[in-house]
Amino acid sequence: MKAPHSCIDLRKTATNNFPASHFTSPLKMTTPQYDLSNTLPPHTLTRLARDWLAEDTPNFDPAGLCVGSHEVEARLLCKTACSVLAGRPFFTAVFTELSCTVEWAHKEGAQLGPDAVAQTAVVRGPARCVLLGERPALNCLARASGIATRCSQLQSIAREAGWHGHVAGTRKTTPGFRLVEKYAMLVGGVSMHRQDLSGMVMLKDNHIWASGSITQAVRDARSVCGFSSKIEVECGSREEGSEAATAGADIVMLDNFKPQELHAAAQLLKEEFPSVLIEASGGVTPDNLPQYLSPHVDIISLGCITQGCPVVDFSLKVQKPVAFPIIFESQ
C-alpha cells in the first residue's frame, strides 16, 4: 500500500544496481536549519502582499459592512496530516498590510500532525481586515506547504537510498508566484535550480537547432555570460553530452533517458569529463525516482515538484465571541 501523498514515503531500495556506499556525488545537500525568511527582501514581501490584496479586492468590499472593524481572533488550522509548513513570511506579510498580527505555533519547515487537524497560528485584528486577507494568505500557505511537503518526501527517498546529489526543481512554476514556489523548495530541502533565465545559461534543444550545433551555441553563450555564469546543455544522447562538455559546458543534462541508459551514459561522461556535473531530467516522478539515482548523476530535476503538486488544506476560523449570561439583581 502506498503512503498518502502528504506523508513521507521512504522507498528503501534503489533499482540501479549500485551499492549505497558508492553514492558519493561531489554535491552535498542538507535541509537548511537557519531562518530562510532572511532570503526574502522586506520590500518584495510588501509588494507581493499588496498585489495579492489588490487582485482579490480591486474596489469595494460589500461584505466588510456586515462584520465591521471590531477586534476578532481567528485560528489557522491545518487539515492535512504529515504536512510540512512553508510560506509563513508571505502569510504574515498579507496580514501586516491589513494591520493584523499573526502568532505562530510552529516554526517554518515543521511537520504538522499526525493529528487530523493541527492549530498552526492565531490571527488578530479588525474583523473586516482579517477576512480581507484570509484567501490571499491561505493561497500562499497552501501552495507553499504542498510544495515543501513533496520536496521533503523526495529528499527522504534520495537520502534513504544513500544518494547525496541534488534533488532540484525547475522553472515550471505558476506565473507571478515563482518566488513563493522557489522559497518552498528551500524549505522542503531541495535545490531551487536556476530561478530565471538570467540566473544560469541553459541551452535546450531549440537553442541548439537555432544555433546550428551544440559547440556553436556554447561558444556564443560563453562570449556574453563570461566566467560568472555556468552553462548547461540539454542533451539527448551520450555523444551530444560529450560534445557539450568538450565545448566547455559546466553541466550536461541527460534529458528523457530511461534509467539504465542514463546510468551507462552518465558513467562514460564522468570518466571522460570528471569535473562536469551530470543532471538527469524528464519523466522522473516520486514513484520512479529511486531508479534514476546513480553515483554518476549529480542532479535530478523534477517538474512535478510544482506541476500537479497537491496543496495542503488550511482554513482560518474566526472565533465566536463568548456569550456571558445576563444576571439580574433581585428586587
Side-chain angles (χ1 to χ4, degrees):
M1 180 181 294
K2 292 182 181 179
H5 77 270
S6 58
C7 293
I8 295 176
D9 180 11
L10 301 180
R11 295 163 175 81
K12 297 186 177 181
T13 303
T15 57
N16 50 27
N17 299 321
F18 291 107
S21 60
H22 287 183
F23 285 81
T24 54
S25 166
L27 292 174
K28 302 285 185 180
M29 186 163 201
T30 57
T31 303
Q33 299 299 320
Y34 34 81
D35 186 356
L36 289 172
S37 67
N38 288 324
T39 65
L40 301 170
H43 65 276
T44 301
L45 288 172
T46 298
R47 174 180 56 80
L48 288 172
R50 289 176 177 174
D51 287 346
W52 294 329
L53 289 166
E55 177 188 52
D56 206 39
T57 314
N59 40 66
F60 287 109
D61 173 31
L65 180 68
C66 306
V67 296
S69 295
H70 65 282
E71 290 291 310
V72 298
E73 177 178 295
R75 295 180 183 177
L76 175 66
L77 305 176
C78 175
K79 297 182 288 186
T80 306
C82 305
S83 299
V84 174
L85 175 62
R88 280 185 19 165
F90 305 101
F91 186 95
T92 299
V94 169
F95 284 110
T96 297
E97 279 300 300
L98 295 166
S99 301
C100 299
T101 62
V102 181
E103 181 181 351
W104 291 96
H106 300 280
K107 294 181 179 180
E108 189 83 314
Q111 183 166 310
L112 304 178
D115 297 334
V117 178
Q119 182 166 323
T120 309
V122 175
V123 180
R124 298 181 180 91
R128 69 186 187 93
C129 293
V130 170
L131 297 179
L132 279 172
E134 176 185 11
R135 179 43 53 197
L138 288 177
N139 286 348
C140 291
L141 204 64
R143 180 70 173 150
S145 296
I147 291 171
T149 300
R150 171 158 286 183
C151 290
S152 179
Q153 294 165 357
L154 293 169
Q155 191 74 343
S156 294
I157 292 169
R159 293 298 167 262
E160 189 68 14
W163 187 69
H164 298 289
H166 275 288
V167 175
T170 68
R171 279 173 45 247
K172 297 175 182 178
T173 54
T174 307
F177 218 58
R178 179 172 293 174
L179 183 66
V180 177
E181 296 177 353
K182 289 287 190 178
Y183 171 84
M185 294 178 198
L186 287 180
V187 175
V190 308
S191 170
M192 295 186 295
H193 213 296
R194 61 174 178 165
Q195 297 184 45
D196 48 51
L197 288 175
S198 302
M200 181 180 73
V201 180
M202 183 183 290
L203 302 173
K204 300 176 74 67
D205 52 3
N206 287 325
H207 295 97
I208 305 304
W209 296 334
S211 299
S213 72
I214 289 175
T215 300
Q216 188 62 50
V218 172
R219 288 176 180 171
D220 290 346
R222 184 62 73 191
S223 70
V224 290
C225 75
F227 67 88
S228 61
S229 295
K230 289 184 177 181
I231 295 177
E232 179 169 8
V233 180
E234 178 184 276
C235 300
S237 67
R238 183 196 63 78
E239 291 76 18
E240 289 184 356
S242 182
E243 180 184 354
T246 300
D250 303 286
I251 307 170
V252 169
M253 176 195 287
L254 300 178
D255 191 40
N256 290 314
F257 278 60
K258 294 180 179 179
Q260 294 306 318
E261 295 173 349
L262 169 72
H263 304 321
Q267 181 175 2
L268 290 173
L269 287 170
K270 276 292 188 180
E271 290 173 353
E272 188 177 2
F273 307 97
S275 63
V276 170
L277 298 177
I278 304 297
E279 176 177 346
S281 188
V284 187
T285 68
D287 289 330
N288 66 20
L289 173 60
Q291 300 174 34
Y292 287 85
L293 303 178
S294 164
H296 309 295
V297 173
D298 304 294
I299 308 152
I300 298 179
S301 55
L302 302 92
C304 67
I305 284 178
T306 48
Q307 290 194 324
C309 180
V311 299
V312 173
D313 186 9
F314 287 97
S315 63
L316 190 65
K317 295 299 182 184
V318 174
Q319 302 304 292
K320 295 180 180 179
V322 177
F324 294 98
I326 300 175
I327 302 175
F328 294 94
E329 295 183 2
S330 58
Q331 300 295 325

